[in-house]
Amino acid sequence: MFVMRVSYLYRILGVAFCFMPGLTNYTAAETAPAAKSAHASPSVVMAADPQPPFTYWAPARSTVRNHPRQPGIWVAESKDGSRKYYFGDQCRASEFQSFVGQSVYALPVRPANAKWRLACSTCAGLSDMDRMRMNVTYDQQTRTINNISCG
């Protein structure tokens, strides 16, 4: 009976030991700030009031305006008529911009309370909207990150 209890105790300790690295990664990812770098500041015409907190998402030489019906959403319109939408930084995408151009494997461990969606830029996917989710798009062949944004 005593041998069975000791054996059971060793199993529990073994399982706990296996999960320990994951728990330390979780803690580090939760408390440590994401990689920081200077954000790209493209040359844009700012016609928005209030202005968005970041402009790294806007194509160069585009005009940034407030969304006509939704406060907290900005639109960058290029001369060719294309538009890119910015939904704010609730998902903290601005802190991860230094990973654009790097491999998807360079991303840190996702914090437990964060929502991330990794998707290849040419693959089919859902177009559902969640401002708290960070979308990471990457090239399917090279696995290089093309874009990181909320939405």
Side-chain angles (χ1 to χ4, degrees):
M1 181 102 158
F2 177 73
V3 174
M4 238 164 82
R5 285 186 186 166
V6 171
S7 158
Y8 181 71
L9 180 62
Y10 281 127
R11 284 187 201 159
I12 290 174
L13 289 173
V15 169
F17 184 75
C18 289
F19 284 108
M20 189 59 75
L23 292 174
T24 57
N25 283 343
Y26 165 76
T27 304
E30 280 290 317
T31 58
K36 294 189 180 205
S37 71
H39 297 299
S41 296
S43 174
V44 298
V45 175
M46 187 58 65
D49 184 25
Q51 295 182 2
F54 301 100
T55 58
Y56 64 83
W57 56 275
R61 296 178 299 284
S62 61
T63 301
V64 177
R65 294 187 171 87
N66 298 95
H67 190 279
R69 294 177 302 281
Q70 295 290 323
I73 297 177
W74 293 268
V75 182
E77 187 171 13
S78 298
K79 291 184 181 186
D80 65 0
S82 64
R83 293 184 176 140
K84 189 165 184 183
Y85 292 85
Y86 177 67
F87 302 100
D89 199 45
Q90 292 93 334
C91 73
R92 297 175 40 205
S94 62
E95 297 175 24
F96 292 87
Q97 293 305 305
S98 64
F99 292 101
V100 173
Q102 295 187 37
S103 168
V104 293
Y105 305 112
L107 287 170
V109 174
R110 179 185 59 86
N113 64 344
K115 294 185 215 175
W116 290 8
R117 175 167 53 190
L118 274 67
C120 108
S121 54
T122 57
C123 299
L126 296 174
S127 61
D128 61 322
M129 176 65 176
D130 184 348
R131 292 184 187 192
M132 297 301 290
R133 178 183 55 226
M134 186 170 75
N135 295 314
V136 179
T137 56
Y138 60 89
D139 181 87
Q140 186 176 15
Q141 292 179 342
T142 64
R143 310 286 289 179
T144 301
I145 297 171
N146 298 329
N147 185 30
I148 299 178
S149 61
C150 297

